[in-house]
Amino acid sequence: MSMLRRGAGFIAVAGLAVLAGCGTAPAGSPGTAAPAAHLDRATRACAGPGSYLTAIRTGKHDGYDRVVFQFSGGLPAVRTERVATVYDDPKGTPVPLPGKSRLHVVFRGASAFCPQPAHRTWAGPATLAPRYPELLAVKAAGDFEGYLSFGLGLAARSGYHVSSLTGPDRIVIDVSHPRS
């Protein structure tokens, strides 16, 4: 069973966390207010040991927005933290993100680059800008020494929930829409 946590902290992934509505649904499916953005630019797994990012997907749903990070080779540990500024790793320069709130997402023991044979396992754009009600942008913030990081630009300081799924291995972040 996975240990799930809101806010800052690591999630140790050892199994399956079940969350209703996880994954991607075809446009027009119940509970889907907008088509999900699929960014499977390169899905070549790595033969070597480790966890490798293969896709990022976003989706707008009733009451929340979702970002899904898909991996091959197993699930990495993940830490999410609300921060004033997300910094690029290893440069240390600020990563510009739209919105009034930011989440820093760090995958420990993960990469988007396979060393043997050398190739990118995910070659999507550095910035995704779905501009949903809460999730405004997802931006790459580093892939260095086993730490793969992203910044999420959010419209407001809404609650969020992190979970994991297997078959394929995914880390899912749901961000609540602001209450009217």
Side-chain angles (χ1 to χ4, degrees):
M1 174 82 67
S2 297
M3 294 185 318
L4 303 179
R5 206 176 213 193
R6 291 184 196 268
F10 277 100
I11 296 177
V13 180
L16 172 67
V18 179
L19 179 65
C22 285
T24 56
S29 295
T32 304
H38 296 279
L39 295 163
D40 300 335
R41 294 290 170 98
T43 58
R44 294 193 304 157
C46 187
S51 185
Y52 295 93
L53 181 69
T54 59
I56 299 175
R57 290 185 281 284
T58 63
K60 177 181 160 191
H61 301 271
D62 292 335
Y64 66 97
D65 297 332
R66 172 172 287 173
V67 60
V68 177
F69 297 91
Q70 184 170 314
F71 294 88
S72 67
L75 286 166
V78 62
R79 183 186 76 221
T80 56
E81 181 179 16
R82 195 174 303 276
V83 296
T85 304
V86 172
Y87 293 96
D88 185 272
D89 181 23
K91 296 181 207 172
T93 56
V95 175
L97 289 163
K100 296 179 180 175
S101 183
R102 285 139 193 82
L103 284 181
H104 189 209
V105 180
V106 180
F107 300 104
R108 184 178 59 185
S111 182
F113 183 80
C114 178
Q116 293 293 331
H119 68 276
R120 296 208 53 80
T121 59
W122 178 73
T127 302
L128 309 171
R131 302 248 178 238
Y132 297 149
E134 183 58 20
L135 179 64
L136 301 177
V138 178
K139 193 164 193 175
D143 188 353
F144 186 68
E145 295 184 345
Y147 290 86
L148 179 63
S149 59
F150 291 86
L152 275 59
L154 306 176
R157 191 178 170 92
S158 296
Y160 66 94
H161 183 267
V162 179
S163 59
S164 63
L165 297 168
T166 58
D169 294 326
R170 291 157 287 162
I171 300 291
V172 178
I173 302 172
D174 290 330
V175 185
S176 300
H177 290 168
R179 296 185 184 182
S180 302

